[in-house]
Amino acid sequence: MKTKILAGALSLLISLSAFALDLAEAKSLGLIGEQTDGYVGLVKASPEAESLVVEINSKRKEAYIKIAAKNNLSVQDVATLAGKKLINKAEPGEFVQSETGKWIKK
């Protein structure tokens, strides 16, 4: 009985992970966009997108801190520069934040 329950729980976890969003998919669906501050933001709220934003932004902040320390820059300067680059690299149809803070489709 315990084996069947465990197997069922594992299959549920595996099937749920198949539905988890990744960054590229969330961008292509218009849920997440690149912000001018170097972080991603929610264009359309959903629990999965919100969770992904937190995860991505946490990883980006860690990277920005390391880069800033290596180059004797502020974290904000590194993040802002990254934001410009990421907006320029965004694919057509993805959302990016304008200088006024509005979401626009590239």
Side-chain angles (χ1 to χ4, degrees), residues 20-52:
L21 285 175
D22 67 12
L23 183 58
E25 183 180 16
K27 284 181 173 183
S28 71
L29 292 172
L31 300 174
I32 292 175
E34 291 293 344
Q35 298 180 148
T36 57
D37 65 0
Y39 298 96
V40 290
L42 285 174
V43 177
K44 294 180 186 171
S46 81
E48 281 187 312
E50 288 175 21
S51 176
L52 185 60

